[in-house]
């Protein structure tokens, strides 16, 4: 009798087991052929925050998920997630200005270089789309550099050029604050978008072959850039504003223009960007903190204690893999399949969607999209082919512009 029941249960489970195996095999095949490109990972800044850039103190050959707080990125989980290329964010706080910001971004680039040197069997610096494909075919992960925040150039086109020479292949035009030539999404408008010098920054990025990254900027700045750029742009880590009304997300009118310019939105995993419930709770906490600071002036310990009680009484809702998939599908619906990519912001966030806890989780997201009926061609585009297309167009535009004009010697004060 027991053998009969066991046999029946096995028979019932077999189709599901076979289906799961088929999905896994399909994902393995796709990500073997196409490099999965993650548009934004903040591991370099984690080395600064946790170890003041002493790389030997955190060995990413080992699983680092047990650190407090855990890292989202290490070599075993990168391989588990079939990651083919990472844009490492070289992040500089907006509190740093001028020469201090330039020094900090150079130190962050040095961290990326030393990661590549420390783990040469895993990482290799990529400067072009062809490099990404070659490195992926060799079995290694293409290591790329993305500048997070235009203040990092110290208002100097010469610095911009030298950062490009060091391997930087995109730059977000702002970070969380306005800079001297562009408005951020998360600060009160100062310039009404892009200044005349800001337009020269975009022109020089086009001439260099550096991707213009529109994450972090205000919608007016987005539109100003789309008005002047001669090459496609990217959003390295943003989501859809129609689904989650966060200032960092992309409005539908910009998504439609992005399609016309052949750009790509690399959809992020930031919980407050992909879940309206998470965003609303985060805003409520900010409001409560402001209220408590006004109520208990000069009593930071009291504010901290009472805010902790509020936290306990109002647990944060978890975003989900389904939320992320919804944002991907919205971008596809408005802009088209060819204009979606992936940019997690892992190790730049303190919490993650349920099911997407680390770089190992990309197959989980792909399985959800397969469940929704995505084709291999759509998944290949999302994984990396869409971004590679944009990179090649940016490279081709640069080759043309370099024949037409020399480097700009304009200064911001002129």
């Amino acid at each position: 009798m027991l053998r009969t029941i066991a046999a029946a249960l096995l028979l019932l489970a077999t189709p599901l087991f076979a289906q799961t195996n088929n999905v896994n095999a399909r994902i393995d095949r796709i990500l073997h052929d196409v490099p999965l490109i993650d548009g934004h990972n903040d591991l370099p800044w984690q080395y600064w925050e946790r170890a003041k850039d002493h790389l030997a103190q955190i060995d990413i050959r080992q699983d680092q998920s047990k650190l407090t707080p855990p890292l989202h990125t290490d070599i075993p989980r990168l391989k588990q997630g079939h990651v083919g290329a990472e844009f490492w964010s070289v992040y500089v706080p907006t509190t740093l200005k001028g020469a201090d910001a330039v020094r900090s971004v150079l130190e962050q680039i040095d961290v990326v270089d030393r990661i590549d040197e420390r783990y040469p069997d895993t990482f290799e610096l990529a400067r072009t789309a062809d490099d990404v494909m070659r490195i992926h075919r060799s079995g290694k992960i293409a290591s790329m550099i993305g500048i997070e925040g235009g203040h990092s150039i110290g208002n100097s086109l010469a610095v911009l050029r030298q950062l490009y020479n060091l391997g930087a292949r995109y730059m977000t035009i702002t970070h969380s604050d306005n800079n001297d030539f562009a408005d951020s999404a998360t600060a009160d408008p100062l310039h009404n978008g892009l200044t005349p010098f800001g337009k020269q920054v975009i022109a020089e990025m086009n001439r260099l072959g550096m991707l213009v990254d529109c994450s972090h900027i205000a919608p007016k700045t987005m539109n100003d850039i789309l008005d002047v750029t001669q090459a496609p742009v990217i959003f390295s880590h943003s989501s859809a504003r129609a689904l989650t009304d966060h200032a960092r997300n992309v409005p539908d009118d910009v998504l439609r223009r992005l399609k016309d310019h052949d750009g790509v939105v690399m959809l992020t995993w930031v919980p407050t960007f992909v879940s309206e419930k998470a965003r609303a709770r985060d805003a409520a906490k900010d409001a409560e903190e402001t209220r408590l600071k006004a109520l208990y002036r000069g009593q930071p310990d009291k504010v901290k204690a009472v805010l902790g009680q509020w936290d306990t009484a109002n647990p944060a809702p978890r975003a989900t893999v389904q939320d992320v998939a919804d944002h991907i599908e919205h971008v596809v619906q408005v802009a088209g399949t060819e204009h979606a990519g992936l940019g997690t912001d892992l190790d730049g966030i303190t919490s993650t969607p349920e099911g997407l806890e680390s770089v190992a989780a990309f197959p989980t997201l792909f399985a959800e999209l397969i469940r929704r009926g995505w084709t291999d061609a759509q998944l290949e585009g999302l994984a990396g082919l869409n971004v590679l297309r944009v990179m090649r167009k940016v490279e081709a535009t640069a080759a043309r512009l370099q024949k037409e004009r020399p480097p700009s010697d304009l200064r911001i004060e002129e």
Side-chain angles (χ1 to χ4, degrees):
M1 182 66 177
L2 290 176
R3 287 181 181 178
T4 303
I5 294 172
L9 290 173
L10 181 61
L11 186 63
L12 288 171
T14 297
L16 179 60
F17 179 76
Q19 184 179 12
T20 301
N21 274 354
N22 288 339
V23 167
N24 291 339
R26 186 175 163 193
I27 294 169
D28 290 349
R29 183 181 68 253
I30 290 168
L31 298 183
H32 175 269
D33 295 340
V34 174
L36 191 158
I37 302 174
D38 180 5
H40 198 90
N41 185 298
D42 278 290
L43 179 65
W45 187 250
Q46 291 294 324
Y47 272 108
W48 166 251
E49 285 206 315
R50 296 168 185 259
K52 294 298 180 283
D53 291 343
H54 296 293
L55 266 62
Q57 292 185 17
I58 303 174
D59 181 8
I60 58 171
R61 285 195 194 281
Q62 310 302 319
D63 185 332
Q64 297 295 339
S65 62
K66 304 303 181 186
L67 287 183
T68 306
L71 275 181
H72 301 143
T73 308
D74 51 50
I75 291 171
R77 286 181 290 169
L78 283 165
K79 292 181 177 179
Q80 186 180 345
H82 299 285
V83 176
E86 279 285 4
F87 270 108
W88 304 116
S89 167
V90 290
Y91 161 72
V92 175
T94 57
T95 52
L96 297 179
K97 311 292 183 185
D100 290 335
V102 174
R103 172 182 170 174
S104 184
V105 76
L106 290 173
E107 290 175 343
Q108 284 274 283
I109 289 174
D110 177 70
V111 169
V112 175
D113 287 345
R114 289 191 290 132
I115 289 172
D116 294 344
E117 292 169 2
R118 192 173 183 84
Y119 307 102
D121 54 334
T122 300
F123 302 113
E124 183 178 338
L125 180 67
R127 295 174 181 266
T128 66
D130 285 349
D131 283 349
V132 174
M133 288 303 303
R134 174 183 55 79
I135 293 165
H136 176 64
R137 288 179 183 131
S138 77
K140 293 195 284 188
I141 297 171
S143 184
M144 294 187 284
I145 296 171
I147 301 167
E148 187 166 25
H151 62 293
S152 300
I153 67 172
N155 294 332
S156 167
L157 297 179
V159 171
L160 176 69
R161 287 188 287 270
Q162 294 311 307
L163 294 176
Y164 177 86
N165 290 340
L166 291 172
R169 287 301 179 267
Y170 77 59
M171 182 173 76
T172 65
I173 304 308
T174 73
H175 191 246
S176 56
D177 294 321
N178 303 327
N179 56 36
D180 290 335
F181 54 85
D183 283 341
S184 168
T186 47
D188 291 337
L190 179 64
H191 307 294
N192 189 32
L194 200 63
T195 71
F197 181 76
K199 293 176 182 178
Q200 290 300 313
V201 171
I202 303 305
E204 194 65 10
M205 292 175 72
N206 288 168
R207 196 197 66 83
L208 285 169
M210 184 183 287
L211 295 159
V212 176
D213 181 4
C214 293
S215 284
H216 279 292
I217 61 177
K220 179 61 166 62
T221 313
M222 298 174 193
N223 280 294
D224 285 354
I225 288 172
L226 291 172
D227 286 343
V228 300
T229 185
Q230 294 192 52
V233 304
I234 65 165
F235 290 79
S236 69
H237 58 307
S238 296
S239 292
R241 196 156 184 177
L243 298 190
T244 305
D245 191 18
H246 194 288
R248 277 278 286 101
N249 285 342
V250 190
D252 278 1
D253 65 314
V254 175
L255 288 176
R256 286 188 283 269
R257 292 196 69 188
L258 188 77
K259 177 181 180 179
D260 295 337
H261 284 75
D262 204 24
V264 170
V265 177
M266 306 180 80
L267 281 301
T268 190
W269 295 2
V270 182
T272 53
F273 294 8
V274 299
S275 165
E276 184 62 23
K277 289 181 180 179
R279 186 197 70 82
R281 192 266 184 189
D282 195 57
K285 181 178 179 179
D286 288 345
E288 179 66 8
E289 185 174 8
T290 299
R291 186 186 74 84
L292 291 173
K293 285 179 177 178
L295 187 63
Y296 302 116
R297 295 185 185 277
Q299 303 177 67
D301 291 343
K302 177 77 168 178
V303 170
K304 182 178 179 181
V306 178
L307 190 62
Q309 294 170 5
W310 186 94
D311 256 336
T312 302
N314 299 273
R318 289 290 301 273
T320 66
V321 63
Q322 289 79 18
D323 291 328
V324 175
D326 288 346
H327 279 261
I328 293 171
E329 295 207 304
H330 182 83
V331 168
V332 167
Q333 180 182 6
V334 176
T337 305
E338 300 83 2
H339 306 288
L342 299 170
T344 62
D345 204 10
L346 288 172
D347 282 314
I349 51 179
T350 55
S351 64
T352 64
E354 190 173 3
L356 300 177
E357 283 81 11
S358 77
V359 291
F362 286 101
T364 302
L365 177 58
F366 275 63
E368 172 63 20
L369 294 171
I370 288 171
R371 188 188 67 78
R372 296 179 183 212
W374 275 50
T375 67
D376 284 8
Q378 288 178 305
L379 294 169
E380 289 168 355
L382 180 74
L385 293 187
N386 294 341
V387 175
L388 290 171
R389 182 193 72 248
V390 170
M391 290 177 68
R392 289 193 172 99
K393 286 199 169 186
V394 169
E395 292 163 14
T397 300
R400 172 176 59 83
L401 292 176
Q402 287 169 21
K403 294 176 182 177
E404 296 176 2
R405 64 173 188 255
S408 173
D409 53 11
L410 185 74
R411 294 180 178 273
I412 193 169
E413 60 270 16
E414 293 176 347

